[in-house]
Amino acid sequence: MHLNPRSGRWLPDHSRLQHHVGSAVAYNVWQYCQASGDSEFLRTKGAEMLLQISRFWSDAATYDDALGRYRIRGVVGPDEYHDAYPGTAAAGLDDNTYTNVTAAWVLAHTLDVLEALPQPCRRELFERTGLEDRELARWDDVSRRLHVPFHAGVVSQFEGYGDLAELDWDAYRARYGDIRRLDRILEAEGDTANRYQASKQADVLMLGYLFSPGEMRTLFQRLGYDMDDTLWQRTVDYYLRRTSHGSTLSGLVHGWVLARVRPTQAWAYCKEALEGDIADLQGGTTGEGIHLGAMAGTLDLVQRGLSGLQTRNDGLYLDPVPLPELSAYGFSLRYRGHWGVQFRMSPGQLEITVPVSDQSPIAIELAGRTVSVKPGETCRLVLPER
């Protein structure tokens, strides 16, 4: 249960249905192994974690003959405003896009990891977990045929989202001012956010936080859907108009996504994330404890969001985006035994300094060009124009 302080009522808490958290664990296993080069962990505990999470998603997916696709029903996505269909007693929603797409990613990546395992590790893992080839075949099938709903020329948050009522946003802002916690306002009025196309925080747009545009296109293509820049930008605009940002994490995700599609709007969200606790934007929550995830996210926004930094193919790939309000910035990170690799972005230039050590050179890819930077060296690269 959770309390709505506006109405004084205790309400059912259905967050246990946010099964996408399992995909986040799998995603971070993969990210950790890519950044650290910890192949021993990937061959043992990491592979088993991916395997068991894939089993969960395979079991959760049911085949719909009418659609010719698999569906995952009865879940709650990142947007906690929606935990049931209007007028129904049962909790949960069907085919949350973020849940289904990340589940497909987990299944596909687990198959790749298992395929790359050395035969002795693979054999031991299969025997210990009782994994059979028929399971792998189902994982592959599910990863290619999970259902993703669409409506009005955009990606739907979940099946039926487009059938919900539109909210009069201007009227509620005029009446209440701050409507970040719109769910509490509506419940106190005897209404529910489940009836409206209104989101607490990024849901579909979370895909743009986890995956680069190229990765997202590949994921949707594997599922049999086209995802081009125009469709994604329409989807971003659609949900921007329907999100109240009732979570301190929402500004981070929107700042990250907008840096790619609407750079002039991105900084407002980045700044809100930075000010979240200092200005107590949630209206009293700072006294209950700082938003540590949002604070860490502001660092992640600089390190990976604005720089476009990805760890892949045993190297670092960068795709920086300039923000008008941020003329220059720098950060350092640890990568595969290198401590304090320095990055400095300035207009038209990226400077990388690798500290002296006995480690191997780092492969840096930018705009289709790959350079090798040795320990003790500084490399300056020209940034492509956007």
Side-chain angles (χ1 to χ4, degrees):
M1 307 290 283
H2 64 91
L3 175 70
N4 180 359
R6 187 177 284 270
S7 69
R9 287 188 284 266
W10 287 90
L11 308 168
D13 184 340
H14 300 302
S15 58
R16 68 184 184 282
L17 300 178
Q18 291 183 296
H19 300 314
H20 59 267
V21 173
S23 293
V25 173
Y27 181 86
N28 285 324
V29 166
W30 178 251
Q31 290 286 90
Y32 163 73
C33 293
Q34 287 285 296
S36 67
D38 192 345
S39 57
E40 176 64 22
F41 177 81
L42 184 60
R43 289 195 299 264
T44 53
K45 296 180 179 68
E48 184 168 357
M49 292 169 74
L50 294 173
L51 182 158
Q52 300 294 9
I53 295 169
S54 292
R55 272 182 163 162
F56 174 87
W57 285 128
S58 178
D59 289 347
T62 57
Y63 189 73
D64 187 316
D65 290 317
L67 276 177
R69 287 187 170 273
Y70 292 93
R71 308 185 68 182
I72 297 176
R73 299 176 181 269
V75 302
V76 174
D79 165 33
E80 294 153 340
Y81 278 2
H82 294 94
D83 60 3
Y85 286 104
T88 62
L93 304 157
D94 298 336
D95 300 312
N96 174 261
T97 289
Y98 177 79
T99 300
N100 285 14
V101 173
T102 55
W105 180 90
V106 172
L107 291 163
H109 264 66
T110 302
L111 290 169
D112 290 342
V113 168
L114 295 179
E115 180 66 26
L117 286 177
Q119 277 303 317
C121 295
R122 180 182 169 93
R123 186 166 51 250
E124 190 275 335
L125 179 63
F126 276 46
E127 290 176 355
R128 179 160 45 82
T129 60
L131 185 64
E132 300 177 357
D133 288 340
R134 61 180 178 80
E135 287 188 77
L136 303 184
R138 177 176 168 84
W139 295 358
D140 183 68
D141 193 37
V142 174
S143 75
R144 297 178 186 277
R145 292 203 285 167
L146 272 168
H147 177 51
V148 174
F150 293 79
H151 75 277
V154 301
V155 182
S156 298
Q157 186 169 304
F158 51 81
E159 186 64 50
Y161 184 87
D163 298 329
L164 301 179
E166 290 282 12
L167 184 79
D168 189 340
W169 291 89
D170 291 339
Y172 272 88
R173 288 192 177 99
R175 194 182 317 165
Y176 293 99
D178 186 347
I179 60 169
R180 284 184 177 86
R181 291 310 304 264
L182 182 65
D183 56 333
R184 292 177 174 177
I185 292 171
L186 289 169
E187 195 277 330
E189 292 182 345
D191 205 345
T192 172
N194 281 322
R195 293 205 309 119
Y196 300 99
Q197 293 186 39
S199 299
K200 177 182 179 182
Q201 62 198 64
D203 195 297
V204 173
L205 302 194
M206 276 290 295
L207 294 173
Y209 176 79
L210 293 184
F211 306 114
S212 70
E215 288 176 309
M216 192 147 45
R217 279 193 297 272
T218 299
L219 261 175
F220 273 76
Q221 285 170 358
R222 183 184 179 91
L223 287 166
Y225 301 102
D226 290 327
M227 170 57 78
D228 58 20
D229 291 342
T230 301
L231 171 58
W232 179 243
Q233 290 185 20
R234 275 202 312 267
T235 301
V236 171
D237 290 341
Y238 187 89
Y239 289 105
L240 268 177
R241 295 192 297 269
R242 294 166 174 83
T243 303
S244 72
H245 306 291
S247 165
T248 53
L249 297 174
S250 190
L252 286 168
V253 175
H254 282 81
W256 187 300
V257 170
L258 286 171
R260 300 278 153 188
V261 297
R262 299 279 189 276
T264 56
Q265 299 177 32
W267 184 247
Y269 291 100
C270 299
K271 187 179 177 184
E272 181 173 305
L274 286 165
E275 293 178 344
D277 282 324
I278 296 171
D280 195 14
L281 294 178
Q282 295 279 318
T285 60
T286 300
E288 300 170 2
I290 61 171
H291 295 81
L292 189 58
M295 295 172 77
T298 60
L299 175 61
D300 194 33
L301 177 66
V302 174
Q303 285 188 330
R304 294 193 305 126
L306 302 184
S307 69
L309 177 67
Q310 298 176 58
T311 51
R312 67 187 195 190
N313 300 326
D314 295 321
L316 296 176
Y317 169 87
L318 292 111
D319 182 22
V321 288
L323 291 188
E325 297 85 355
L326 206 60
S327 59
Y329 62 94
F331 58 89
S332 64
L333 54 82
R334 180 185 175 189
Y335 175 70
R336 297 199 174 188
H338 295 274
W339 289 77
V341 181
Q342 301 286 331
F343 293 82
R344 179 74 180 171
M345 306 282 182
S346 56
Q349 181 177 274
L350 164 63
E351 182 179 289
I352 306 157
T353 300
V354 179
V356 176
S357 72
D358 59 358
Q359 301 293 321
S360 302
I362 300 177
I364 305 289
E365 182 180 344
L366 175 69
R369 175 191 175 196
T370 301
V371 297
S372 180
V373 186
K374 298 177 182 177
E377 287 186 347
T378 294
C379 177
R380 294 175 180 84
L381 300 173
V382 176
L383 296 178
E385 293 185 4
R386 285 186 172 271

